[in-house]
Amino acid sequence: MKKQILKIGVLAATLFITACTSDSDSDDASNLAQLQADVEELNQTARSGTWTITNFVDDGQDETSDFSGYDFTFNPDGTLVADNGTTTVTGTWSITLDDDSSDDSDDDGMDDDYDDDDDEIEFNIFFASPETFTELSEDWDVISFSSDMIQLMDDDDDVDGTTDLLTFEK
């Protein structure tokens, strides 16, 4: 009798674990599909016209005015063009899904991102020069986006531990 109860208990535990695992796998697949859809939507949004920087905080300093008068265009070929009518600066951009949060862990192994998900959308910007524009070169975490605003952040790895913020608006 004890063997049957033990077998039933093991069978019930196995079924419970299997059910939980398949639910979790299904949720993970659903979340991944949603993130991939968000990446595509953000790509289309970024390419949908010209943008201006309405907020740029770097190392705790508001540097928004450094980009006053510049219109930013995110081209389908991955080039990023900033133009103020007299000066044109060209860089690159991409949007990727980063599913590795190991770079964002502190000594306790916990994820320090703005949310607890391992998957996040990164808005990658790179300018080789001039120095003012190289400050925008980061793998930015996407906070939110809409048809007329893209809000980004980067947890600064410097000693001061500040959070950099970047907002593009139409």
Side-chain angles (χ1 to χ4, degrees):
M1 179 73 165
K2 287 183 182 181
K3 280 187 172 183
Q4 278 185 323
I5 292 174
L6 182 60
K7 286 181 183 177
I8 291 172
V10 169
L11 179 62
T14 302
L15 289 173
F16 176 76
I17 290 170
T18 303
C20 290
T21 302
S22 63
D23 286 347
S24 177
D25 290 346
S26 175
D27 289 346
D28 288 347
S30 176
N31 289 342
L32 181 58
Q34 181 59 52
L35 284 168
Q36 289 170 333
D38 288 345
V39 166
E40 181 55 36
E41 183 181 353
L42 181 53
N43 264 297
Q44 290 176 7
T45 298
R47 294 187 310 245
S48 70
T50 59
W51 299 82
T52 59
I53 292 179
T54 58
N55 185 41
F56 178 54
V57 176
D58 184 36
D59 294 329
Q61 300 295 314
D62 186 345
E63 298 180 16
T64 308
S65 63
D66 292 349
F67 305 97
S68 179
Y70 279 94
D71 290 324
F72 290 79
T73 305
F74 298 93
N75 293 314
D77 67 357
T79 58
L80 172 55
V81 178
D83 183 53
N84 68 0
T86 58
T87 303
T88 301
V89 181
T90 303
T92 61
W93 74 286
S94 66
I95 298 171
T96 58
L97 184 58
D98 178 20
D99 62 358
D100 180 17
S101 66
S102 61
D103 295 339
D104 299 321
S105 297
D106 57 19
D107 292 335
D108 66 5
M110 299 300 292
D111 188 356
D112 291 333
D113 287 340
Y114 62 95
D115 63 17
D116 292 331
D117 296 335
D118 289 344
D119 296 328
E120 57 189 36
I121 299 172
E122 287 189 344
F123 199 111
N124 311 293
I125 296 174
F126 176 75
F127 285 101
S129 65
E131 185 176 342
T132 301
F133 282 82
T134 62
E135 292 179 0
L136 298 175
S137 297
E138 293 286 348
D139 295 335
W140 296 92
D141 296 331
V142 177
I143 298 172
S144 67
F145 69 93
S146 65
S147 62
D148 59 357
M149 182 184 294
I150 300 171
Q151 293 181 310
L152 310 171
M153 69 172 273
D154 180 57
D155 287 332
D156 205 350
D157 294 332
D158 295 338
V159 177
D160 63 4
T162 61
T163 298
D164 298 339
L165 300 171
L166 177 61
T167 303
F168 290 97
E169 289 189 59
K170 284 187 178 180

